[in-house]
Structure formats: structure tokens, C-alpha cells
Amino acid sequence: MNHRIFGFIASAVAAGVLTISLSGCRSGETVHHKQATVPNVKTATAQSIGSTRTITYPGRIQPSRDVNLSFRVAGPIAAIHFREGQHVSQGDTLAEIEERDYAIQLAATTAKYEQVKAEAGRVIELSDRGSATQNDYDKARYGLEQVAALYHAHQNALNDTKMLAPFDGYVQQVLFEAGETVGAGMPVISIISDDAPVVKVDIPAADYINIDRAVHSWCSVDVYPDRVFGLKLIDITKKANLNQLFTARYALLPDSDGTMPNPGISTEVSIEFRTEEKTSVSIPATSLFEENGQSCVWVVTPESKVEKRTVVTDNIDRDGNARVISGLSAGETVVSAGVHSLKDGTKVNVLPGRSATNPGNLL
């Protein structure tokens, strides 16, 4: 009996020792595995962008000329000759006021003018011969000038019953129809010019004072996502509005194939300013993280380790790239994904970038 108990205890002890040994080995393997884990990161190379900075503002494309036309005389509208969207040429008759009353008025004034002109002519001829007094001469001359002025005014009124296009363009809106009576100066038709449109953009005061350092300007619109259109500064207001913004007008230049965005479309205006700083670099904005109120990046060393670097940034462009003006040099490699799981001196495994022939790294 004692031999059986002793054998059982010996077997149990041996099994326990074996279990502890296996457990210890596995635990050691786990610790070793954790120590060998190297974080995977994506990286990007700092690209030189020169000593300039680019700022983007919301803008709007507008026709170079947009006017509301009105008659200089009042009366019922006799005809509207053009409708919305139609092209007009300078001098075309767009609309007419009923001219009956103005024609009668001019006829009466013309008769009076001819009468006074004839009488004044006789008095002036007698004055030249010395047979008329100076008083008669002055009355005749001033009377003729007065009637002549009235005659020309009524002649102009008759001509003003026709609304003429001041430039080549398109009818934008017709506000009244034939048969309606309008007063002098009331807008009747609005037209826009068919010249190259302009871009208006509001610029903050901080950038306005540096507008003479602008070296390049362009804009983009959503309807042409893969194109940019050049801009040329026309003028800029010298007084800020209530929002402390200065309005600039830019001539919109067509694309290489002649494409031109239509007026009324919103746009993003980009202005590249020359700076006095040293050459700046561009990195993905995802490379940045904040520590103690400062912007930092992880720089990858040749030994595949990371070191923290404090940098000074300017702005982030529309493509999601941050402009770094100090703390980083062109060609240096920074971590662009996984920045929040690293510590100074950590060894990292750099993931391969996207391949041009195998974008998904499937092969």
C-alpha cells in the first residue's frame, strides 16, 4: 500500500514539474515575442517647396460687366425684342417705349424752332447792316438758343424711347413685358457682357499688406476638377469692409484649350506669396502631432529608429499637406501614419509605399 501511494505521489510531482516547465517556456516565448514586436509605420519624404507659401480663399466668378438697363423716359412698353439667354450686339434695339406722344412733342417743337430760327436770322442780318438795335439782336439770339435747346431735348426724348445694347453680351433677365408702363430709370432688362469673366475674392488684411509679394495666382472650380485657371490681378480695394477684408478683382484666363468657366460659379482662389524665410518643405498633415503645445514629427533615422523633432508649420493646403518652415529639411523621412503609438528611439518597420504597377500590393 505504501509503495502504491509513493508511486502515485511521485507521478503527480513529475507531472507538476513538467507542467511548470512547459508553462515557463511558453511564458518566456511570449515575453520574447513582445520584446521582438516592431511597430509598422508609413512614411513620407519631406519635399522642398521653395521660399513661398500658398493660401487659398473662396471666390466667385462674375461677368466683367453686369448692368441693369432702363429707359430715360417714361411710358408704356411697345416691344421687347430679346429674351433671356439671347446674345446681343452693341447697338441692338432691346426694347421700345411707345413713341407717339414724344413724336408729337418733337413735331410741335420743331415748328417753333424753325419759326424762331427764321425770325432770329432776319434780326441778325439787320444787325449786321446796322439797322437793328443791340437789344433786338440779343433777344433774337437768346430766343433762338432757348428754342434750339428745347428742340434738341425733345429730339433726344424721342430717341430715348429705344433701349440700345451698350456692349456685346447676353440678356440675363427681362423684368417687364410689352404693355406695361414704366417710369424713367426703372430697370427693365439686365445684360452681362460676353468678355472674359472676372474673379472676385476677399483677402484678409494680413495678406493684403503682402499682395505685392504675390508671384502666382490661379483658381479651380468643381465642374472642372482636373484643371486650374490662371488669374491676373486687375485691382483691389483700398478700404477694408466691415469684416476687415479687401476685395480683389482678377482677370480669369482660359485653359490651354480655351475652356472658360461661366459666371456665377463659386471657385477657390490660390495665391502664392514670396516669403523671406528659408526654403520650406511639404509633408502630409497626418505626420504632425502636438506635444506641450508644439507641433512635432517623428523623423526616421538610417537605423530605422524614430526621433522626435519640433517643427514650425505655416498652413495646410487643399491636398492635405502641411507647409513646414523650420525644423525639417528636404529629403528627410517622417512617419505619416501611426504617429501616436511611438516613443523616442523606437525601432520601426517601414511599410512599402503604393506601387505604380501594383497599387494594392496584391502580388
Side-chain angles (χ1 to χ4, degrees):
M1 185 67 175
N2 293 335
H3 290 289
R4 291 180 179 178
I5 294 173
F6 180 78
F8 175 77
I9 292 174
S11 300
V13 170
V17 171
L18 179 61
T19 301
I20 293 172
S21 300
L22 292 175
S23 176
C25 290
R26 288 173 184 168
S27 177
E29 290 175 359
T30 303
V31 172
H32 178 73
H33 178 70
K34 288 183 179 179
Q35 291 176 345
T37 299
V38 177
N40 295 324
V41 296
K42 290 184 179 181
T43 61
T45 302
Q47 302 293 330
S48 173
I49 56 176
S51 55
T52 62
R53 63 186 178 96
T54 300
I55 302 180
T56 301
Y57 317 90
R60 52 201 178 277
I61 301 175
Q62 295 184 344
S64 59
R65 286 179 286 182
D66 185 353
V67 298
N68 293 321
L69 301 177
S70 59
F71 290 103
R72 300 181 68 176
V73 295
I77 297 177
I80 300 289
H81 298 296
F82 290 88
R83 308 304 306 181
E84 288 88 344
Q86 289 186 300
H87 184 269
V88 298
S89 299
Q90 184 176 1
D92 284 347
T93 300
L94 305 179
E96 296 182 63
I97 286 282
E98 176 58 55
E99 66 176 24
R100 180 194 61 191
D101 294 341
Y102 295 100
I104 293 173
Q105 178 180 259
L106 178 61
T109 306
T110 300
K112 181 67 174 178
Y113 171 71
E114 295 296 338
Q115 177 188 356
V116 173
K117 181 179 179 182
E119 293 175 354
R122 288 192 292 270
V123 173
I124 292 173
E125 183 179 354
L126 291 174
S127 177
D128 292 340
R129 296 177 181 178
S131 301
T133 64
Q134 183 65 36
N135 186 49
D136 292 336
Y137 172 81
D138 291 341
K139 285 183 178 180
R141 183 167 65 88
Y142 294 136
L144 178 60
E145 291 177 356
Q146 183 178 15
V147 174
L150 186 61
Y151 165 74
H152 291 302
H154 289 169
Q155 192 176 49
N156 291 336
L158 181 61
N159 293 333
D160 289 339
T161 59
K162 293 179 173 57
M163 180 186 293
L164 306 181
F167 47 76
D168 295 349
Y170 293 89
V171 175
Q172 183 71 8
Q173 191 175 13
V174 176
L175 303 173
F176 290 92
E177 298 295 335
E180 295 185 274
T181 299
V182 296
M186 292 180 61
V188 176
I189 295 177
S190 65
I191 67 172
I192 60 174
S193 66
D194 60 3
D195 300 333
V198 299
V199 174
K200 283 190 176 181
V201 58
D202 292 327
I203 298 177
D207 296 327
Y208 165 78
I209 61 176
N210 293 317
I211 197 65
D212 58 333
R213 294 184 179 179
V215 294
H216 183 43
S217 304
W218 66 94
C219 72
S220 59
V221 293
D222 292 339
V223 292
Y224 300 109
D226 300 325
R227 303 187 184 188
V228 294
F229 301 89
L231 299 175
K232 182 178 181 181
L233 182 64
I234 300 174
D235 52 43
I236 187 169
T237 58
K238 302 304 179 184
K239 179 182 177 182
N241 58 24
L242 295 178
N243 295 320
Q244 296 299 295
L245 300 173
F246 295 82
T247 301
R249 288 196 314 145
Y250 286 86
L252 182 61
L253 306 179
D255 198 5
S256 57
D257 61 357
T259 301
M260 183 75 77
N262 290 64
I265 298 177
S266 297
T267 181
E268 286 190 350
V269 176
S270 299
I271 303 177
E272 184 179 2
F273 292 91
R274 184 179 66 256
T275 66
E276 296 179 353
E277 298 127 354
K278 296 180 180 179
T279 302
S280 304
V281 297
S282 175
I283 60 173
T286 54
S287 302
L288 298 172
F289 65 94
E290 186 174 341
E291 187 172 290
N292 298 326
Q294 295 180 317
S295 296
C296 302
V297 296
W298 293 112
V299 178
V300 181
T301 67
E303 296 79 20
S304 296
K305 293 184 178 182
V306 294
E307 62 178 31
K308 184 174 62 178
R309 183 88 59 82
T310 301
V311 296
V312 178
T313 61
D314 189 352
N315 68 306
I316 298 176
D317 62 24
R318 58 179 298 179
D319 296 323
N321 294 318
R323 178 174 179 269
V324 179
I325 59 178
S326 68
L328 199 62
S329 300
E332 289 191 287
T333 301
V334 296
V335 176
S336 60
V339 297
H340 298 291
S341 60
L342 301 176
K343 293 182 178 180
D344 212 0
T346 301
K347 188 174 181 62
V348 295
N349 178 41
V350 178
L351 294 176
R354 183 184 296 269
S355 170
T357 58
N358 182 26
N361 295 320
L362 300 177
L363 299 178

